[in-house]
Amino acid sequence: MAVTQGAAPAGRLAGDVVVVTGAARGLGAAIARAAAEAGAHVLLGDLDGPRADAVAATLVAAGHSARGTTLDVTSQQSVEASLQTVLEWQGRVTGLVNNAGRLIEADVVSLTEEQWDAVLDVNLKGAWRTTRAYVPAMIETGGGSIVNISSLEGLFARPAHVAYAVSKAGLLNLTRATAVDFGRSGIRCNAICPGSIETEMLTQHLEATGDADAAASDLIGRNRTGRLGRPEEVGATALFLLSGEAGFMNGSHVVVDGARGATT
């Protein structure tokens, strides 16, 4: 992947170096944009490397510092290559956002072992791979912040989402374990649990129901904000957790769901 770099403006993350996985679209792209606009140098990693490059190019065109790279979180070799890429580019890394995710819809009986493995290999084991690779490098240069993108389904289950829900629940305890094990080494690790956010993944889920409008209305009716969430709202939350403003938050999770989980 070609390096694309602009001048990072002053901001809440000025001079920080942030890596975002699954950054070519949806929440990952929104988080990468928020970090870049706040002054960070951002490496956008995604299985779709050309699309990650394209998103990075839009950030550079806007005067920010960004670079795209192909990143497959199911491959330790790919994860380690991404670490070397960011170290060669900026010399350090201060933030990691584990956002790469996969959803396969099936219940506990109909789900195949291959489908179970495919979802957990991305959503949970993928986050563990990147965390395992990046934490030593972050500690070596003074520590940093890790943000894991879990889900409201990490706290509550939805029908026919067993592998996704289990993976996102596991990600919450990976968050806690990382904070407990490395908090005194300068590592903060927190999670975000988004509700229904307007992303390509949600659109695909709604279309798969056969009546996307009705399915969207059902989701909207489950919260008390009266709409779906926007990717930039999750991006703003990630920006806070990456920043020093959240300096005493560690091992926590933040729910961004329009009060959906607060209702009975």
Side-chain angles (χ1 to χ4, degrees):
M1 294 297 159
V3 174
T4 51
Q5 181 175 354
R12 293 161 71 187
L13 299 184
D16 284 358
V17 182
V18 176
V19 177
V20 183
T21 73
R25 54 180 59 78
L27 295 184
I31 292 167
R33 183 173 298 106
E37 290 175 350
H41 305 280
V42 183
L43 181 69
L44 294 85
D46 200 281
L47 192 60
D48 187 345
R51 186 160 175 173
D53 277 345
V55 176
T58 66
L59 295 176
V60 171
H64 309 304
S65 178
R67 174 176 180 168
T69 190
T70 300
L71 172 56
D72 178 1
V73 298
T74 69
S75 163
Q76 191 66 41
Q77 181 178 3
S78 180
V79 167
E80 292 172 358
S82 74
L83 174 60
Q84 290 307 307
T85 295
V86 73
L87 292 179
E88 290 170 6
W89 179 39
Q90 293 296 329
R92 65 191 185 115
V93 57
T94 64
L96 169 66
V97 181
N98 286 312
N99 169 73
R102 183 173 184 184
L103 169 66
I104 294 177
E105 298 193 271
D107 61 36
V108 70
V109 173
S110 63
L111 186 76
T112 68
E113 186 170 348
E114 290 75 17
Q115 289 173 323
W116 169 274
D117 289 342
V119 172
L120 268 71
D121 200 22
V122 174
N123 297 3
L124 183 55
K125 195 172 181 180
W128 166 71
R129 287 189 186 96
T130 54
T131 300
R132 180 175 66 166
Y134 275 76
V135 161
M138 295 170 80
I139 291 173
E140 187 174 342
T141 54
S145 174
I146 299 171
V147 179
N148 292 327
I149 306 303
S150 181
S151 169
L152 193 61
E153 294 190 49
L155 302 169
F156 309 100
R158 277 181 60 77
H161 279 194
V162 58
Y164 186 80
V166 168
S167 69
K168 293 299 187 176
L171 191 54
L172 290 177
N173 253 359
L174 177 62
T175 299
R176 299 181 186 108
T178 302
V180 168
D181 287 340
F182 297 103
R184 293 192 177 182
S185 298
I187 299 296
R188 291 189 301 108
C189 187
N190 295 288
I192 302 175
C193 296
S196 298
I197 311 296
E198 292 182 291
T199 63
E200 290 183 26
M201 180 183 286
L202 180 64
T203 298
Q204 292 169 359
H205 164 67
L206 296 177
E207 291 176 347
T209 67
D211 190 341
D213 290 340
S217 295
D218 175 66
L219 289 179
I220 292 170
R222 293 174 183 269
N223 69 48
R224 291 298 178 266
T225 305
R227 63 174 174 82
L228 296 174
R230 295 187 290 267
E232 58 266 28
E233 292 172 316
V234 178
T237 305
L239 176 57
F240 168 69
L241 293 175
L242 287 168
S243 77
E245 297 167 23
F248 201 55
M249 285 188 68
N250 207 0
S252 299
H253 67 270
V254 180
V255 178
V256 184
D257 72 342
R260 177 173 160 186
T263 65
T264 61

